[in-house]
């Protein structure tokens, strides 16, 4: 059996398609279920990438900022976790939502790296990385 190295967590109805079988894919419909969404599906240090996708309209109802710390051990050293905040339908991302995501990544033990905004729909992608791997750490021993 092949070890999968990518995971996609869709909160609510943020996406209308399901990726290939080469990705762990879970749909979360309750805030309290996010923390355990990958239980039994991925082992510690086994994932290169985790994507969490949530619509702005469902953010307060479904995004659990305390859950990010549960995903950090699943990432390989240097692995990446990206939270996609989808706006669309003329919606704008709320400052509170954006601050919550960025803080949750840092408080979850990851190093915040990038905030990218979609030009057409105003959506955002918040990317953070687990320390180690090929990336240089700030904790170099001198």
């Amino acid at each position: 059996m092949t070890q999968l190295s990518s995971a996609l967590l869709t909160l609510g109805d943020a996406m209308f398609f399901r990726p290939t079988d080469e990705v762990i894919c879970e749909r979360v419909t309750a805030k309290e279920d996010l923390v355990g969404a990958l239980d039994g599906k991925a082992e510690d240090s086994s994932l290169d990438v985790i994507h969490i996708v949530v619509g702005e309209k469902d953010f307060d109802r479904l995004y659990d900022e305390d859950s990010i710390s549960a995903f950090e051990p699943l990432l390989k050293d240097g692995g990446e976790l990206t939270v996609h905040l989808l706006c669309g339908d003329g919606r704008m991302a709320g400052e509170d939502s954006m601050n919550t995501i960025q803080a949750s990544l840092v408080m979850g033990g990851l190093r915040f790296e990038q905030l990218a905004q979609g030009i057409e729909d105003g959506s955002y992608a918040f990317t953070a990385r687990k320390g180690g791997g090929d990336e240089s750490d700030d904790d170099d021993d001198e």
Side-chain angles (χ1 to χ4, degrees):
M1 182 171 147
T2 303
Q3 177 68 36
L4 302 178
S5 64
S6 297
L8 172 66
L9 303 176
T10 305
L11 309 188
D13 296 320
M15 293 180 60
F16 57 89
F17 70 92
R18 183 174 173 89
T20 68
D21 290 337
E22 296 172 3
V23 174
I24 299 167
C25 184
E26 290 297 317
R27 182 171 177 247
V28 177
T29 57
K31 187 177 213 171
E32 60 273 9
D33 294 340
L34 181 57
V35 70
L38 294 176
D39 287 355
K41 297 170 182 70
E43 297 177 9
D44 284 355
S45 300
S46 66
L47 299 176
D48 293 315
V49 178
I50 299 173
H51 291 276
I52 299 174
V53 182
V54 61
E56 172 65 28
K57 66 180 181 154
D58 294 321
F59 183 81
D60 290 332
R61 184 174 64 86
L62 295 174
Y63 188 79
D64 177 11
E65 60 268 23
D66 296 328
S67 295
I68 300 302
S69 61
F71 302 132
E72 187 271 343
L74 302 176
L75 289 168
K76 294 177 182 176
D77 286 348
E80 182 178 284
L81 190 148
T82 300
V83 178
H84 302 268
L85 182 61
L86 306 182
C87 297
D89 297 329
R91 295 183 67 96
M92 298 292 291
E95 189 174 328
D96 287 345
S97 300
M98 294 176 63
N99 289 338
T100 297
I101 293 170
Q102 191 165 347
S104 69
L105 293 169
V106 173
M107 297 302 291
L110 302 170
R111 184 178 60 245
F112 185 76
E113 290 197 338
Q114 180 179 6
L115 170 60
Q117 181 179 10
I119 294 172
E120 292 181 22
D121 64 358
S123 296
Y124 289 87
F126 300 79
T127 301
R129 188 172 301 279
K130 182 176 180 175
D134 291 335
E135 299 294 319
S136 63
D137 283 333
D138 294 334
D139 300 331
D140 292 337
D141 294 331
E142 294 184 20

